[in-house]
Amino acid sequence: MGHGSGGRMSHDLIQRVFSAAFSNPALNQANDSARLTLPSGRIAVSTDCHIVAPLFFPGGDIGRLAVCGTVNDVAMSGAVPLYLTAGFILEEGLPIAVLERVVASMQAAAQEAGIQIVAGDTKVVEKGKADGLFITTAGVGWLPEGRQIGGELAAAGDQVLLSGPVGQHGMAVLAARGELGFQAEITSDVAPLNGLIQELLAAAPHTHVLRDPTRGGLATTLNEIAVQSQVSIRIDETAVPILPTVRTVCEMLGFDPLYVANEGKLIAIVPPEELPAALSALRAHPYGAQAAHIGTVQSQDPGRVLLRTQIGGTRLLDKLAGEMLPRIC
Amino acid sequence: MQFTAEFRDAALVHKGIEEIRRTVTRPWTLMEICGGQTHALLNTGLDEMLPPEIELVHGPGCPVCVTSLELIDKALAIAAQPNVIFTSYGDMLRVPGSHEDLFSLRARGAQVRVVYSPLDAVRIARENPDHQVVFFAIGFETTAPANAASLLQAHALGLKNYSLLVSHVCVPPAMHAILGSPTCRVQGFLAAGHVCAVMGYQEYLPIAEQYRVPMSVTGFEPLDLVQGILLTVRQLEAGTHEVQNAYSRAVTLQGNLGAQAIISRVFQPCDRNWRGIGPIPMSGWGLRPEWAAYDAEQRFSVAHIQTQESPICIAGQILQGLKKPPQCPAFGQQCTPETPLGATMVSSEGACAAYYRYGRSR
């Protein structure tokens, strides 16, 4: 418990675990705040709290999630993510070795994303007052001159792209909890997408919308865009990539993969003339290798997402109501 | 997915719909018994692809929807007790009782756990010998074998802390209730494939004969549904009333005899109150007297439950095929999946939930 008191034990923890892993000039100043240099112009800021059980799951862990989640949120505005801060809430009794693994994973993700973790804080709470480890990250990115990307900018005629198969993260975490009664080889897709976005924007500079379909999945995020932009989005069910294992496990449990969380996918909405270039750029990057053109934006039925089903019918693709629950039979 | 992709083949589905179009000469009203079929029809958009002469009304085969309010209130009363771990299929958690649902109870600290199988509930009982573990045994004939097996397993393990809150219902008595009603509109049935996989379809033969109503045992994939509708429409057009099997890859005339044996070892027929519909004699299964020790209703004193149903909700008429969800004045207004007035708006097999979710507001 002494690790959170601010005294010598806290100092030891910071030195041993955090400074060692995250070492960079801004952090090493060891002042109350990090002083940073930004290119001139606008900045983008985002913050996100991360909780996940279990802390480690196939394809990732809470540390990678905490870095990628915020990097992606900053990058979805078209900004170039530069710096991150991290706050840790530790439950008393969490092994230092676990913390070290998580922190190493954060540093690896930060390196991959090309960003620096420049400030942080740690608090320890009594056993039972938290679930192992919670991490809050905040990110700052630089918005290049003239870049206009937002959920409100989808326009009739635009084309909808998805960077890869949906449903992996949510199903990987669920399977990792070991409550399903069967083994499923599903790996989380958690990844920093700023590199992919850079390639996309170089090829399709007039991209209107970038969003990552995290909680609530593809369907919920598309609904948010349809409402924000006051357009309808028509999705072709057969065009949405889904891995066979994810599809099978979802079918068994009564989940719809279109509502399952992703942590390494993006939706890009681009003007029609930039569709071919955008799709090629996504597919040329490892995180977009299975990118697909999944739908179009239309002006009628504003605020609605419509799905053309695999047998050629049409139905509403609504946002998720509440928690997804396994069905009875 | 292997073994299902073939039954979702767009070209075959279109061919089937064309065949229905060629066969039908006048309007017919068909009822799909099972809520899973209702959802499949709307989820695939098949409902809007059928010729306009075919009207599908939605049946009572949504176990969550027909579980009586009284039983849900009993479940809430049991789950609220200290030292109880209440286990249930996920669907039940959002179903409104008189005053609240199991979700809100869990948020206030009650130990309510979602299980994927009743055998998970037995495992929880084994791991928590100092707790009473109760499983909410709801469902039609489909879930009864597994629920019964959980009791037999608990018995074999000598567990004294496991019990079932039983609310099993059966399809044939509900069909009698629907067909015997003077307001019945149903001219043909799509019988529920999963139920028939367990029970077979022998017990439907006298119903078809008595009411002169044709039926097809029908599965849940688009091509299954098209096939079931086609066979039923052919019979209606020809004036016959047989029970045909359009789901032969899962269903036989006799059904699953092993599962039936487990059911009859644990359960016996009893009267059951159906939510929104009312009491139907000998329409359910309760525990046989020799298993009374596993009866949660007896283990916990929940006999004096006062229930209060929403006066606006028309779920009962919907479950009998008398009305469709958009005909309810509360549909999509006071009643939504976030603020449900009846179980049909929250169950994954509920007709109101399907209409709301898939945007069928007409």
Side-chain angles (χ1 to χ4, degrees):
Chain A
M1 195 62 204
H3 283 123
S5 64
R8 191 171 54 79
M9 285 174 77
S10 308
H11 183 76
D12 287 350
L13 183 76
I14 289 167
Q15 281 301 329
R16 183 174 149 200
V17 178
F18 297 107
S19 302
F22 298 148
S23 178
N24 59 63
L27 186 71
N28 297 350
Q29 291 160 4
N31 286 322
D32 281 354
S33 61
R35 290 151 218 182
L36 310 169
T37 313
L38 286 166
S40 64
R42 296 171 301 158
I43 62 166
V45 180
S46 181
T47 188
D48 211 345
C49 305
H50 301 272
I51 56 172
V52 64
L55 295 175
F56 301 89
F57 45 84
D61 57 79
I62 189 170
R64 184 170 171 81
L65 195 63
V67 170
C68 297
T70 298
V71 163
N72 292 346
D73 283 348
V74 171
M76 294 302 150
S77 65
V80 179
L82 297 171
Y83 304 111
L84 228 64
T85 69
F88 296 80
I89 293 177
L90 316 181
E91 184 187 12
E92 188 182 21
L94 180 82
I96 297 282
V98 167
L99 186 62
E100 282 173 337
R101 264 179 79 193
V102 169
V103 165
S105 166
M106 288 180 78
Q107 179 55 20
Q111 233 158 20
E112 186 189 343
I115 55 116
Q116 293 181 359
I117 297 172
V118 294
D121 186 38
T122 307
K123 295 283 184 290
V124 181
V125 297
E126 282 172 55
K127 190 150 189 71
K129 297 280 164 84
D131 189 7
L133 172 62
F134 300 154
I135 305 176
T136 299
T137 49
V140 180
W142 168 65
L143 257 172
E145 189 66 38
R147 196 160 276 180
Q148 284 294 341
I149 292 172
E152 72 286 4
L153 298 176
D158 281 357
Q159 302 299 310
V160 184
L161 296 170
L162 175 67
S163 67
V166 291
Q168 280 171 257
H169 177 72
M171 296 318 290
V173 170
L174 193 66
R177 286 186 191 152
E179 293 167 3
L180 299 183
F182 55 85
Q183 303 282 316
E185 297 287 323
I186 303 175
T187 306
S188 167
D189 59 347
V190 55
L193 297 175
N194 51 333
L196 179 67
I197 290 174
Q198 211 171 330
E199 300 295 322
L200 170 70
L201 294 181
H206 298 98
T207 295
H208 289 152
V209 182
L210 285 172
R211 288 293 281 275
D212 53 343
T214 53
R215 270 185 309 177
L218 178 68
T220 304
T221 307
L222 288 170
N223 270 279
E224 287 164 6
I225 298 168
V227 169
Q228 272 183 284
S229 294
Q230 280 305 297
V231 292
S232 72
I233 300 178
R234 312 225 162 201
I235 299 296
D236 180 356
E237 187 173 27
T238 55
V240 178
I242 300 168
L243 296 179
T245 42
V246 170
R247 192 188 292 280
T248 305
V249 173
C250 282
E251 292 239 0
M252 286 177 71
L253 298 174
F255 288 167
D256 185 340
L258 302 186
Y259 292 90
V260 177
N262 310 280
E263 289 292 345
K265 294 294 164 352
L266 62 81
I267 298 165
I269 299 185
V270 302
E273 60 278 11
E274 291 188 358
L275 171 67
L279 194 55
S280 316
L282 287 175
R283 285 181 177 165
H285 192 280
Y287 288 143
Q290 297 181 68
H293 173 217
I294 61 165
T296 56
V297 178
Q298 297 186 357
S299 53
Q300 63 269 43
D301 295 320
R304 284 158 74 94
V305 180
L306 297 164
L307 186 77
R308 187 175 158 80
T309 70
Q310 56 187 339
I311 62 162
T314 303
R315 69 162 165 94
L316 186 70
L317 184 64
D318 203 4
K319 58 186 178 298
L320 179 64
E323 196 177 320
M324 210 165 13
L325 294 170
R327 63 156 178 250
I328 165 167
C329 58
Chain B
M1 199 164 71
Q2 224 179 342
F3 308 124
T4 54
E6 300 86 335
F7 296 94
R8 296 171 189 177
D9 184 290
L12 289 175
V13 169
H14 283 270
K15 217 173 137 192
I17 293 172
E18 230 5 83
E19 188 59 35
I20 296 171
R21 210 184 298 279
R22 268 198 299 272
T23 309
V24 70
T25 63
R26 44 163 290 196
W28 296 111
T29 302
L30 273 55
M31 172 181 275
E32 80 278 0
I33 292 283
C34 176
Q37 292 167 329
T38 309
H39 268 256
L41 282 165
L42 275 73
N43 174 282
T44 56
L46 185 58
D47 59 325
E48 292 190 345
M49 297 164 74
L50 293 168
E53 290 89 348
I54 309 292
E55 185 190 359
L56 283 159
V57 294
H58 317 306
C62 163
V64 172
C65 303
V66 299
T67 299
S68 76
L69 188 58
E70 187 192 353
L71 247 112
I72 291 172
D73 283 354
K74 282 182 181 172
L76 288 159
I78 293 171
Q81 296 193 19
N83 228 35
V84 166
I85 300 174
F86 192 87
T87 59
S88 168
Y89 294 121
D91 281 28
M92 287 306 290
L93 264 65
R94 269 200 289 263
V95 177
S98 290
H99 306 292
E100 62 178 343
D101 57 29
L102 285 163
F103 248 132
S104 5
L105 202 62
R106 185 171 81 174
R108 292 211 316 273
Q111 294 208 57
V112 177
R113 297 197 199 168
V114 171
V115 291
Y116 299 92
S117 147
L119 298 181
D120 291 341
V122 175
R123 180 180 47 78
I124 293 171
R126 217 169 150 183
E127 291 166 358
N128 295 273
D130 50 340
H131 283 75
Q132 285 293 326
V133 175
V134 182
F135 178 70
F136 203 171
I138 71 152
F140 281 87
E141 294 93 328
T142 328
T143 51
N147 294 352
S150 80
L151 183 150
L152 295 177
Q153 196 188 39
H155 181 66
L157 291 168
L159 295 179
K160 302 281 177 225
N161 64 331
Y162 182 69
S163 58
L164 297 172
L165 181 60
V166 179
S167 176
H168 274 296
V169 281
C170 302
V171 168
M175 290 175 85
H176 277 290
I178 289 165
L179 288 165
S181 156
T183 52
C184 175
R185 301 174 53 216
V186 181
Q187 295 166 297
F189 279 102
L190 308 183
H194 288 161
V195 169
C196 294
V198 174
M199 300 304 292
Y201 56 93
Q202 209 154 24
E203 55 187 340
Y204 296 83
L205 305 177
I207 302 176
E209 192 53 46
Q210 180 182 343
Y211 300 97
R212 308 182 66 77
V213 58
M215 44 186 105
S216 305
V217 178
T218 304
F220 300 81
E221 299 298 335
L223 198 57
D224 291 323
L225 290 160
V226 166
Q227 178 71 2
I229 293 165
L230 176 62
L231 291 186
T232 313
V233 169
R234 272 189 190 146
Q235 286 208 63
L236 286 166
E237 291 286 345
T240 57
H241 51 270
E242 289 165 24
V243 182
Q244 293 182 313
N245 186 1
Y247 197 34
S248 57
R249 71 182 186 281
V251 174
T252 61
L253 179 65
Q254 304 295 335
N256 182 336
L257 297 174
Q260 291 168 28
I262 291 180
I263 292 172
S264 49
R265 230 183 112 191
V266 173
F267 297 123
Q268 64 181 20
C270 68
D271 297 343
R272 202 46 94 196
N273 207 356
W274 295 53
R275 187 169 192 172
I277 298 175
I280 304 178
M282 298 311 255
S283 65
W285 283 323
L287 289 174
R288 299 181 70 89
E290 59 265 38
W291 301 112
Y294 293 90
D295 187 348
E297 283 190 76
Q298 297 195 22
R299 192 172 293 194
F300 303 90
S301 53
V302 285
H304 310 289
I305 296 280
Q306 297 286 321
T307 60
Q308 171 110 44
E309 193 75 80
S310 158
I312 316 168
C313 180
I314 62 160
Q317 293 175 65
I318 289 165
L319 290 164
Q320 295 170 83
L322 301 174
K323 284 195 173 162
K324 291 198 168 184
Q327 291 173 279
C328 174
F331 178 81
Q333 305 294 321
Q334 299 103 304
C335 186
T336 66
E338 288 84 10
T339 56
L341 296 181
T344 44
M345 187 50 106
V346 287
S347 167
S348 66
E349 296 182 81
C352 298
Y355 271 70
Y356 188 87
R357 183 167 167 197
Y358 302 130
R360 300 287 192 256
S361 49
R362 283 164 288 126

